[in-house]
Amino acid sequence: MIDGTEEDREFGLEDDSGAVIAAVGRQIKLWREGAGLRAAELGSIIGYSENLVSKVEGGRRIPKPEFLDKTDAAVGANGKVSAMKKDVEEARYPRKVRDLAKLEAEAIEIGSYANGVIDGLLQTEEYARALYAQRRPAYAEDDIERLVAARMARQVVFDRRPAPLLTFVQEEATLRRWTGGRMVLRRQLEHLLELSQLRHVEIQIMPMEAEEHAGLGGSHRVLKLVDGKTVGLNEVQLISGLISDPRQVQILDMRYNLLRSQALTPRLSREFIEKLLGET
């Protein structure tokens, strides 16, 4: 599943971003101590709790821009703490998320088949959070929030101009599973209907009774880039990666095109989602 709860490997937390956040935290602590302030005192001045200040300094919480600006003023850093906002923003999301977002930003066409969960680009915030909460070994709450924010940030692709063609094939089972509960699923189905109205988005459902199915090998994604190249993304348990070998990408592209021909049309898929919504 390209966008499932296993993103600790696809969008792993243990990357260079953690080191950046830890370094920013150390610098904040040095500036605070240089100003003769305790963590509780700094928190009182800038409007944050002592616990949050300690987590930021320990690299366990990513500081927001306003935290850095207020800290800069409180410790008299003359812009040196505020200047770290760019580094923090780049490190806010795991490196693999940034890499995928960069690919998506360069794509003129993205095609995705998902058989386990709703594709990440289509997920609501509540649905994404419910997925991450189920991950085992379990994520810490801070990590869940970081990953959810990263996933939501990728959805800027829907607002790009000129708009890329975004096509999705979803297994029927992914629309029936009560991930996060009934209300979370209802909102997710409503969100799919909203996105399906966009002229550059096509969502198709692969019904469970379909006899012909070209995607039994698993979820995958095909991205056609502005420079003319086509790449694929493929994933199985504990393993994921980018596929750039033209012969392998051609196979993924062929399978995806077959899937689209075997799935319900976009119009019938909307009717199918509306029916499910009425039953949920």
Side-chain angles (χ1 to χ4, degrees):
M1 296 180 294
I2 288 176
D3 282 292
T5 58
E6 71 284 16
E7 287 195 11
D8 55 316
R9 65 177 188 281
E10 183 197 351
F11 304 151
L13 292 173
E14 295 183 1
D15 58 15
D16 58 332
S17 60
V20 171
I21 298 304
V24 168
R26 287 193 297 270
Q27 287 297 312
I28 291 174
K29 183 177 181 180
L30 288 172
W31 278 104
R32 174 181 61 77
E33 291 176 339
L37 297 172
R38 292 176 298 173
E41 292 173 328
L42 175 61
S44 178
I45 294 172
I46 65 177
Y48 290 90
S49 67
E50 177 184 4
N51 182 53
L52 180 60
V53 172
S54 296
K55 283 186 175 181
V56 168
E57 291 182 349
R60 301 188 304 277
R61 178 65 70 87
I62 302 174
K64 293 182 178 180
E66 56 267 27
F67 181 101
L68 296 173
D69 286 337
K70 290 180 179 180
T71 297
D72 189 280
V75 302
N78 296 318
K80 294 182 177 63
V81 172
S82 291
M84 293 188 284
K85 285 189 291 187
K86 183 176 184 297
D87 295 324
V88 170
E89 184 60 30
E90 291 179 353
R92 182 172 297 278
Y93 308 129
R95 177 177 53 81
K96 291 187 178 180
V97 175
R98 302 196 302 269
D99 292 345
L100 180 54
K102 182 179 179 181
L103 274 178
E104 291 170 343
E106 296 174 355
I108 59 173
E109 183 177 338
I110 299 175
S112 177
Y113 164 62
N115 66 359
V117 298
I118 303 296
D119 185 275
L121 289 178
L122 301 175
Q123 291 174 12
T124 64
E125 183 175 334
E126 296 79 10
Y127 184 95
R129 183 172 288 105
L131 283 179
Y132 284 125
Q134 296 181 47
R135 187 263 192 186
R136 296 296 181 271
Y139 283 130
E141 286 300 319
D142 289 350
D143 290 337
I144 290 176
E145 292 306 311
R146 181 184 178 205
L147 287 166
V148 170
R151 177 160 295 177
M152 294 302 102
R154 282 175 49 215
Q155 295 181 5
V156 70
V157 69
F158 288 102
D159 302 320
R160 273 181 45 204
R161 294 295 180 270
L165 174 61
L166 304 173
T167 66
F168 304 88
V169 178
Q170 286 285 155
E171 282 292 334
E172 175 185 341
T174 66
L175 277 64
R176 291 187 177 275
R177 185 168 297 113
W178 283 31
T179 301
R182 177 174 175 270
M183 294 310 297
V184 170
L185 178 59
R186 279 189 59 84
R187 175 56 190 141
Q188 179 62 68
L189 294 175
E190 291 170 349
H191 187 58
L192 292 179
L193 289 174
E194 292 167 4
L195 290 175
S196 71
Q197 298 300 320
L198 299 176
R199 285 182 293 178
H200 62 295
V201 176
E202 294 189 354
I203 300 174
Q204 296 177 253
I205 307 304
M206 175 64 77
M208 288 189 287
E209 66 264 24
E211 296 183 9
E212 297 181 331
H213 198 310
L216 297 179
S219 298
H220 61 274
R221 184 174 297 170
V222 178
L223 298 92
K224 298 182 179 181
L225 308 181
V226 68
D227 63 3
K229 294 180 181 178
T230 300
V231 298
L233 290 169
N234 199 15
E235 187 170 286
V236 294
Q237 286 282 337
L238 303 179
I239 301 173
S240 65
L242 181 71
I243 297 176
S244 56
D245 184 319
R247 292 168 297 182
Q248 294 181 330
V249 172
Q250 187 177 49
I251 292 173
L252 286 181
D253 194 30
M254 174 190 67
R255 290 176 180 174
Y256 184 68
N257 288 330
L258 281 172
L259 274 168
R260 294 197 66 194
S261 69
Q262 295 163 347
L264 298 177
T265 66
R267 180 180 62 81
L268 291 177
S269 294
R270 280 195 297 272
E271 294 176 0
F272 189 89
I273 296 171
E274 290 172 346
K275 181 175 182 293
L276 280 181
L277 181 59
E279 298 172 352
T280 302

